[in-house]
Amino acid sequence: MPDLILSILSLTLFVPFLRETLRRRWTRSSWSGQLLLATVSLELTATMYIPSVTYIAGGLIAVAAAVYALRCRRLPQATPLLIIALLYTGWFALSLCWSAVPRKGLLVLVDNCLPLLVAGVAGGMCRQVLADNKSEGARQAAGNTVEAMLRTFALTACIFVALAVASWLVTCAEIRLRPWHWPVLDKTRVAGFFPYHWVYRFLGGHIGGYVHPSYNLLPIFAATAGAVWLRFRKASGGALWSVLYAGCLLLTLLTQSRMGIIYSAILAAYALILLQPSRSRRLVAAAVMLVTAVAVAVCLHGRIVQYGSDPTREFLISRTWQYIRLKPFTGAGAGALNPVEICHTTGELYWPHIGYIDPARAVDDWPYKAHMMPHNQWLADWAHAGLVAALLALMLYACVLTEAVRKRCWWGLCFMLVFTVFSLLEPPLYIGKGLYLFCTVCILVFAAPSTSKCQAMPKRNSCQGESTMPH
């Protein structure tokens, strides 16, 4: 019963999105552009909910982009994101030629490559909607629109944190455990389950719900980066980002997330540097943070190594490197990377959490995407489709980082730093929540105008570009 009640309450995550949607100016000339922006905002919200809704919202972005293109007679802009996504998809399609499981390879193209293509198309079209290259007034109005979407994202994250805290307190009452006795950062179980099963039980229950600690934390940290940016732009008060950051720290402790500690350190440095009143003080803050980070790393090196050790992750990475050395240029081919393929190639007979791998077992006799990726995005791409795939994946990250720096979109830069560190420890572009969050952030970074110091009231929208939202 507690799981059911909390799952019903999780629908409140969509309240900020509904509020934003009702406040949009839906006019005869602007509705298609506003529909596209609304679906992007819906996707941001959905990344904090269950994966199935995330996939549906991604499909709605594709439909809205098609409607906008047809109604306003717009062609997709050839942005760096779209070009690299096309090359990435094309290479994986080519790898079907040497894949032992081409049928599953087609699913990889749909599940992992198609969302990147949609993001590339939608990012260019949202830029057209927001009139990135129009007058100064249009850029200011576009900035207001992006800020409104980030504000909605941050408010949704606040509700997420509140639901997680409520789930924790309900669990403490249910199992008769005092909150201050909850285990923190020691990787122990609570009443037979890992702590994150209880903290995220509002996403479908503590047994069958979506309780992955890292992928549930990732959008919350992305929203906090946006909230810090809003404070920097004077588009919100300091309470929003402060509450969110405190929530990030609390969830990190309650779920015993090692990655959350890294995210928190990056966010702290980002906030302390960005919110300084002058450039000189930002440089001083950056230097102090760097020295502090080095000192902490040196003093606590032994404990950090011990706490961060993960034998399973290390085993997967070592076996993946061994496999890559044997097939550096082709990899397994789209859809064919799995423990059977790796063990057959390297001569191993064991896989973590699986056990014995029969040498006579067929490569295609393996569930789709089950226990197949090493805990590193670029190693996963390299093993999956060769060196070219790994380089193209690296270029995807680089083009978003470059665009964020070029536009002084510092919240996007902070998110990409967090996401890059995360990609060293996980293959997020192969996981639904990670992939769709990355795609949505890409859309906003490429659609957002360059930062302007002044603000202006929004103007009337049209298919020619100017897009607004009331405050």
Side-chain angles (χ1 to χ4, degrees):
M1 183 61 72
D3 281 348
L4 177 59
I5 295 173
L6 289 168
S7 296
I8 294 173
L9 289 176
S10 69
L11 295 174
T12 57
L13 288 168
F14 294 91
V15 170
F17 164 73
L18 294 174
R19 175 178 175 271
E20 176 196 342
T21 302
L22 292 174
R23 296 183 70 208
R24 289 184 179 276
R25 293 181 179 176
W26 299 89
T27 65
R28 182 176 298 178
S29 61
S30 70
W31 69 266
S32 60
Q34 293 292 356
L35 178 64
L36 178 56
L37 295 176
T39 56
V40 174
S41 186
L42 174 62
E43 184 66 280
L44 284 174
T45 298
T47 58
M48 299 186 197
Y49 198 53
I50 57 178
S52 58
V53 178
T54 306
Y55 305 146
I56 293 171
L60 292 176
I61 291 177
V63 172
V67 170
Y68 175 76
L70 292 173
R71 184 180 179 278
C72 296
R73 298 180 182 178
R74 297 282 190 176
L75 294 175
Q77 291 185 342
T79 62
L81 177 65
L82 178 57
I83 293 171
I84 297 172
L86 283 169
L87 293 173
Y88 185 82
T89 303
W91 180 257
F92 268 92
L94 181 63
S95 73
L96 291 173
C97 297
W98 58 82
S99 171
V101 196
R103 179 177 56 83
K104 292 180 181 177
L106 291 174
L107 294 177
V108 170
L109 294 181
V110 173
D111 291 348
N112 302 103
C113 297
L114 184 59
L116 292 170
L117 292 175
V118 171
V121 171
M125 289 188 170
C126 285
R127 176 185 290 181
Q128 295 171 343
V129 174
L130 294 174
D132 186 44
N133 296 318
K134 292 286 185 179
S135 65
E136 179 64 22
R139 286 196 296 273
Q140 293 162 350
N144 293 339
T145 303
V146 173
E147 288 169 0
M149 296 169 73
L150 289 176
R151 191 179 301 110
T152 297
F153 189 34
L155 291 174
T156 305
C158 289
I159 297 174
F160 184 99
V161 171
L163 289 168
V165 172
S167 298
W168 168 56
L169 294 176
V170 167
T171 299
C172 288
E174 185 179 359
I175 64 176
R176 298 181 181 180
L177 176 70
R178 293 176 180 176
W180 50 90
H181 290 160
W182 189 271
V184 174
L185 297 180
D186 57 1
K187 291 298 178 183
T188 58
R189 294 175 183 261
V190 177
F193 295 91
F194 286 113
Y196 50 80
H197 283 265
W198 296 114
V199 174
Y200 298 131
R201 63 191 298 186
F202 63 92
L203 294 175
H206 69 284
I207 297 178
Y210 190 85
V211 295
H212 196 293
S214 299
Y215 290 99
N216 277 327
L217 269 180
L218 191 62
I220 308 304
F221 279 88
T224 306
V228 175
W229 169 251
L230 292 174
R231 179 67 183 91
F232 170 71
R233 296 279 291 165
K234 296 182 173 57
S236 75
L240 182 60
W241 82 267
S242 301
V243 168
L244 269 183
Y245 187 73
C248 289
L249 289 176
L250 180 60
L251 294 186
T252 294
L253 296 175
L254 294 180
T255 60
Q256 304 177 359
S257 172
R258 291 172 294 187
M259 293 184 185
I261 297 174
I262 301 174
Y263 302 162
S264 298
I266 294 175
L267 267 179
Y270 160 70
L272 290 175
I273 293 171
L274 189 64
L275 297 181
Q276 296 301 316
S278 64
R279 180 176 297 180
S280 59
R281 292 188 64 173
R282 291 191 194 108
L283 293 174
V284 171
V288 170
M289 293 296 295
L290 180 61
V291 171
T292 302
V294 172
V296 170
V298 171
C299 295
L300 301 179
H301 179 264
R303 295 191 63 183
I304 291 173
V305 171
Q306 180 181 4
Y307 186 71
S309 64
D310 188 329
T312 300
R313 177 178 278 110
E314 292 167 4
F315 179 93
L316 292 176
I317 289 178
S318 67
R319 292 300 178 268
T320 302
W321 269 119
Q322 186 179 353
Y323 179 82
I324 286 172
R325 286 195 292 270
L326 296 172
K327 293 186 176 181
F329 300 110
T330 61
L337 183 63
N338 59 47
V340 176
E341 162 67 16
I342 294 177
C343 288
H344 284 2
T345 304
T346 60
E348 295 290 332
L349 299 175
Y350 168 79
W351 198 260
H353 304 301
I354 302 298
Y356 175 71
I357 300 293
D358 190 344
R361 188 172 183 177
V363 174
D364 60 352
D365 182 23
W366 191 263
Y368 177 58
K369 284 189 176 182
H371 301 283
M372 60 186 294
M373 296 298 168
H375 289 263
N376 182 294
Q377 178 62 46
W378 297 285
L379 289 183
D381 278 313
W382 199 342
H384 203 166
L387 178 60
V388 173
L391 293 176
L392 288 172
L394 184 63
M395 290 172 64
L396 275 174
Y397 285 57
C399 79
V400 184
L401 280 165
T402 302
E403 186 75 3
V405 172
R406 186 181 72 82
K407 292 183 174 180
R408 298 183 179 180
C409 182
W410 303 129
W411 73 269
L413 176 63
C414 178
F415 169 79
M416 285 306 302
L417 290 176
V418 169
F419 198 77
T420 300
V421 172
F422 185 52
S423 298
L424 295 172
L425 305 169
E426 283 281 337
L429 298 188
Y430 287 94
I431 308 297
K433 273 203 173 188
L435 173 63
Y436 281 84
L437 179 61
F438 174 79
C439 290
T440 312
V441 169
C442 288
I443 291 172
L444 280 184
V445 168
F446 275 86
S450 298
T451 298
S452 175
K453 292 183 179 179
C454 55
Q455 300 285 337
M457 291 302 293
K459 297 184 179 182
R460 188 176 180 81
N461 191 354
S462 71
C463 275
Q464 280 66 40
E466 297 178 19
S467 172
T468 69
M469 283 185 60
H471 292 283

